[in-house]
């Protein structure tokens, strides 16, 4: 089964729903660049267009104007985990059920999808994709003789894990959030239209006003009767994904009305308090996800912030390597240090996280080549040592440098920095409480504390085998394996 980290959009009663969805998808492109899709309903039929690549590659004016006709739409951007990069898994998914056509788009990961699939196949279901989301259709289909809402409630009651879903059924737009509320989903309004989106930055681009979050364990059905709310399962407080706030969401989005930029900046300030770098002369960011944390570090330390590293935004998914070997070509095409800001100086490099360690190692090498006198790496989150099973695409245990090397000193040696410090768990907790208003959250990637059980002991068909922690092996992370680059 394939699981994705993704972004979703929904429009109800928008005169130009496909165009609005398209705008919304642009704003959440960072949540997935592998495939994109929009499904539109005219109240009767659903039309679907999806494909591999970014939003700009998948849609053209003709498709949006002449093919995707209707006032109700959902959209999806997808970032697949390893091995799942196939068109069949692009979303939204579409099916004909006894209650009519339905389309669905999903952000998250259904942790019991493997056993549900087996059960459903034994009862005769034929799966068309390897996306975990497809189990929702089969669960709805087999709950025969029931209304759409009963089928949906039944399906949502059986799936576990992380899911923010948007669905289309006739002239209804549906939003669902799992009882833990791992992944975000917010509701907004634009004149007579309602919109759903993974992040509020999409509401901004669509010209919609933020109303509220879809609550953990809530189904909202948006129709001529307005927004009607239903509950699925007990709402469990405090499992929102803290990594959304540290890295994944856009800093111009709001989390429960609070600025994610401010949250990241506060993390940077806390980091400067916890882990000063007394001899440093300049703070630089690892572009672009850590810009806010680097600003915060500079604010609190009094060390000036510099744009020391520039990122090239025009790199496609694949590029042709020059025949003549260029040292660190893969890093150089994406990042370039600004020599005048770096040469001869002692630098604090702030990043939000280290996953495989590949990016940091390369950035550090480039900073040395550009003449840095000393490099102090500061990370605005604790050691990332456990894979995410709730919708963030992370590698297996054996590729996580935090798991392989285990402690700051060993990671520092591998990265060849003069010093390395991560944010403490207490520091993170304090900032989340004070700046994000979050008293508890899911931090399984830092602690291994998985609040929802992960698949019933059966290996899933094609998901990465992340469940077995492997011992530390000699080969450095990234060596010989596929290179992963941050989006
Ligand atoms: P690496 O250590 O080479 O795997 O890359 C870590 C960098 O990628 C950090 O600077 C993060 O900002 C970013 N990053 C963190 N988590 C992810 C993720 N799940 N997917 C892609 N990039 C990520």
């Amino acid at each position: 089964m394939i699981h994705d980290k993704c972004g979703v959009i929904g429009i109800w009663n928008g005169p130009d729903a496909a165009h609005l969805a398209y705008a919304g998808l642009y704003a959440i492109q960072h949540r997935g660049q592998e495939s994109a899709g929009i499904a539109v309903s005219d109240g009767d039929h659903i039309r679907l267009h999806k494909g591999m690549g970014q939003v700009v590659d998948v849609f053209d004016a003709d498709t949006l104007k002449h093919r995707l006709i209707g006032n109700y739409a959902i959209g999806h951007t997808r970032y697949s985990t390893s091995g799942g990069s196939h068109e069949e898994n692009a979303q939204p998914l579409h099916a004909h059920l006894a209650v009519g056509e339905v389309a669905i788009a999903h952000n998250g990961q259904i942790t019991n999808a493997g056993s549900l699939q087996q059960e459903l196949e034994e009862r005769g279901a034929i799966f068309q994709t390897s996306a975990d989301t497809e189990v929702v259709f089969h669960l709805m289909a087999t709950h025969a003789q029931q209304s759409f809402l009963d089928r949906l409630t039944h399906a949502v009651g059986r799936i576990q894990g992380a899911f923010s879903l948007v669905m289309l059924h006739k002239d209804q737009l549906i939003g669902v959030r799992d009882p833990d509320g791992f992944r975000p989903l917010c509701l907004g309004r634009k004149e007579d239209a309602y919109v759903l989106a993974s992040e509020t930055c999409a509401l901004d681009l669509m010209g919609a006003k933020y109303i509220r979050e879809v609550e953990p364990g809530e189904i909202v059905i948006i129709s001529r009767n307005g927004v009607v709310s239903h509950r699925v399962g007990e709402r469990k407080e405090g499992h929102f994904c803290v990594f959304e706030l540290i890295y994944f969401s856009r800093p111009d989005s709001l989390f429960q009305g609070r600025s994610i930029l401010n949250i990241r900046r506060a993390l940077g300030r806390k980091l400067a308090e916890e882990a000063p770098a007394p001899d440093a002369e300049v703070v630089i960011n690892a572009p672009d996800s850590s810009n806010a944390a680097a600003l915060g570090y500079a604010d609190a330390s009094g060390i000036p912030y510099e744009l020391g590293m520039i990122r090239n935004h025009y790199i496609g998914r694949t590029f042709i390597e020059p025949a003549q070997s260029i040292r660190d070509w893969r890093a150089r095409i994406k990042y370039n240090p600004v020599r005048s800001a770096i040469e001869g100086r002692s630098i604090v490099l702030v990043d939000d996280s280290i996953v495989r360690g590949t990016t940091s190692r390369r950035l550090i090498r480039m900073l040395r080549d550009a003449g840095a006198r000393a490099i102090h790496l500061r990370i605005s989150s604790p050691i990332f040592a456990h894979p995410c099973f709730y919708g963030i695409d992370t590698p297996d245990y054996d590729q996580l440098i935090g798991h392989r090397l285990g402690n700051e000193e060993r990671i520092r040696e591998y990265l060849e920095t003069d010093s390395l410090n991560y944010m403490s768990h207490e520091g993170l907790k304090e900032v989340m409480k004070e700046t994000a208003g979050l008293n508890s959250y899911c931090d399984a990637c830092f602690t291994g504390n998985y609040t929802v059980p992960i698949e019933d002991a059966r290996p899933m068909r094609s998901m990465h085998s992340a469940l077995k922690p492997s011992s530390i092996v000699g080969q450095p992370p990234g060596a010989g394996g596929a290179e992963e680059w941050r989006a």
Side-chain angles (χ1 to χ4, degrees), residues 5 79 243 246-248 286-290 335 350-363 379 384 388 391-395 399-401 415 477 483-487:
K5 68 174 198 181
Y79 187 131
F243 205 60
I246 292 167
Y247 160 77
F248 196 27
D288 287 318
S289 56
S290 69
Y335 302 104
V350 179
D351 204 350
D352 50 80
S353 55
I354 305 178
V355 182
R356 290 176 175 80
T358 329
T359 307
S360 318
R361 206 168 129 97
R362 290 192 167 128
L363 292 182
I379 306 297
F384 196 119
C388 178
I392 297 273
D393 178 36
T394 53
Q399 286 183 59
L400 290 175
I401 194 172
L415 297 176
E483 303 278 352
E484 270 290 317
W485 285 87
R486 65 170 152 184

Side-chain angles (χ1 to χ4, degrees), residues 67-199:
R67 284 200 47 215
L68 295 175
I69 304 158
N71 292 353
Y72 316 95
I74 58 172
H76 190 259
T77 59
R78 171 168 184 270
Y79 187 131
S80 83
T81 56
S82 47
S85 172
H86 301 297
E87 188 140 11
E88 62 168 34
N89 294 320
Q91 294 197 17
L93 302 179
H94 172 233
H96 292 263
L97 303 185
V99 285
E101 288 182 60
V102 183
I104 189 169
H106 171 205
N107 172 209
Q109 177 166 336
I110 299 172
T111 51
N112 62 339
S115 58
L116 286 173
Q117 181 178 1
Q118 189 179 36
E119 174 196 317
L120 288 156
E121 282 177 340
E122 276 160 14
R123 284 159 58 195
I126 299 168
F127 276 74
Q128 306 277 322
T129 72
S130 46
D132 58 356
T133 316
E134 196 183 334
V135 297
V136 176
F137 279 161
H138 294 284
L139 287 166
M140 289 180 74
T142 48
H143 203 58
Q145 315 293 332
Q146 306 286 327
S147 69
F148 173 82
L149 181 61
D150 286 339
R151 287 169 191 253
L152 177 62
T153 316
H154 163 75
V156 171
R158 290 225 47 207
I159 58 176
Q160 291 172 3
F163 48 89
S164 285
L165 306 172
V166 291
M167 297 174 79
L168 274 185
H169 176 238
K170 299 185 176 164
D171 59 357
Q172 297 181 329
L173 170 69
I174 299 104
V176 182
R177 213 163 150 216
D178 64 73
D180 291 273
F182 285 111
R183 306 255 75 86
L185 188 64
C186 65
L187 174 69
R189 181 147 200 178
K190 180 183 165 73
E191 290 131 31
D192 294 333
Y194 282 101
V195 302
L196 292 169
S198 291
E199 290 186 38

Side-chain angles (χ1 to χ4, degrees), residues 40-51:
V40 174
S41 172
D42 58 11
D44 210 2
H45 291 299
I46 291 177
R47 295 177 182 88
L48 175 66
H49 183 82
K50 58 186 179 178

